Amino acid sequence: EVVLTQSPGTLSLSPGERATLSCRASQSVNTYLAWYHQKPGQAPRLLIYGASDRATGIPDRFSGSGSGTDFTLTISRLEPEDFGMFYCQQYGGSPRTFGQGTKVEVK
Amino acid sequence: QVQLQESGPGLVKPSETLSLTCTVSGASISSYHWSWIRQTPGKGLEWIGYIYNIDHSSNSGSTEYNPSLRSRATISIDTSKSQFSLQLASVTAADTAMYYCARDRASTRFDFWGQGTLVAVSS
């Protein structure tokens, strides 16, 4: 199965700062990659799919890039509601798998 | 707005079968694929399986599962109630998790999720 490795494990930033999260796949998944945001006590919420397409209702401060094995999620200016866990998920291989997550916390 | 709601026992005994139901509103259950996903502090998010190619007339669909579950999982559907279900047999403590149901966009991403239901396996 495709293993997704996210880095860093934790990102400590202040509101208004730029966040850059990485997801690396153990084998190529083309652009078949999604990103999710999860707040404590809530289900994950789809942010990005197809590596760079924003899901419905997702603000344009969220952007995704990459293909093959290396992917990036960028949050241009962190808003207070953006803190929490972020997960990548691939659908280029079977079974579909998730990364272990990056925690974005308030500095 | 699409909404999903999981329901089922919060406690299951070891070696027994875990049974959960997801009720869908705001979308035609016959028109989409539907998945079960679980989350644990140790293993993170794990896709369990999904049901697709749903036939309203026969109340059935095709299914695919994560091989890691070693054929213990079964997903079924009841289109008349707009529900789909998960059964996980021979559970152990390792199956203790938050279980989510989600709308599955054609074997790709999961665009709507239920709030999740916590299931503990303990005697």
Side-chain angles (χ1 to χ4, degrees), chain A residues 36 38 43 49 87 89 96, chain B residues 39 100 104 107-110 114:
Chain A
Y36 300 83
Q38 185 177 35
Y49 63 95
Y87 297 96
Q89 174 244 324
R96 284 173 278 177
Chain B
Q39 184 173 30
Y100 294 100
D104 183 330
S107 313
T108 62
R109 69 233 186 232
F110 309 103

Side-chain angles (χ1 to χ4, degrees), chain A residues 37-91:
Chain A
H37 178 214
Q38 185 177 35
K39 298 179 189 178
Q42 296 185 16
R45 179 190 182 194
L46 177 67
L47 299 174
I48 300 285
Y49 63 95
S52 60
D53 293 326
R54 274 187 300 277
T56 302
I58 301 303
D60 60 7
R61 64 180 182 272
F62 291 93
S63 63
S65 64
S67 67
T69 60
D70 290 301
F71 301 88
T72 301
L73 175 70
T74 302
I75 310 169
S76 59
R77 288 177 56 85
L78 280 164
E79 296 288 339
E81 62 268 26
D82 296 339
F83 293 89
M85 292 294 297
F86 289 82
Y87 297 96
C88 55
Q89 174 244 324
Q90 65 80 24
Y91 44 96

Side-chain angles (χ1 to χ4, degrees), chain B residues 23-45:
Chain B
T23 302
V24 177
S25 59
S28 168
I29 198 167
S30 301
S31 300
Y32 294 93
H33 304 175
W34 305 94
S35 268
W36 286 97
I37 298 157
R38 66 183 182 180
Q39 184 173 30
T40 61
K43 290 190 69 176
L45 288 158

Side-chain angles (χ1 to χ4, degrees), chain B residues 38-90:
Chain B
R38 66 183 182 180
Q39 184 173 30
T40 61
K43 290 190 69 176
L45 288 158
E46 181 180 33
W47 173 74
I48 296 170
Y50 79 126
I51 189 163
Y52 63 102
N53 288 349
I54 295 161
D55 185 339
H56 179 80
S57 59
S58 65
N59 215 27
S60 64
S62 302
T63 53
E64 184 178 323
Y65 304 102
N66 193 324
S68 69
L69 295 167
R70 299 190 197 99
S71 303
R72 295 190 295 128
T74 302
I75 297 175
S76 59
I77 195 154
D78 186 337
T79 58
S80 66
K81 295 182 180 178
S82 198
Q83 294 177 334
F84 65 105
S85 299
L86 169 70
Q87 290 195 309
L88 187 63
S90 306

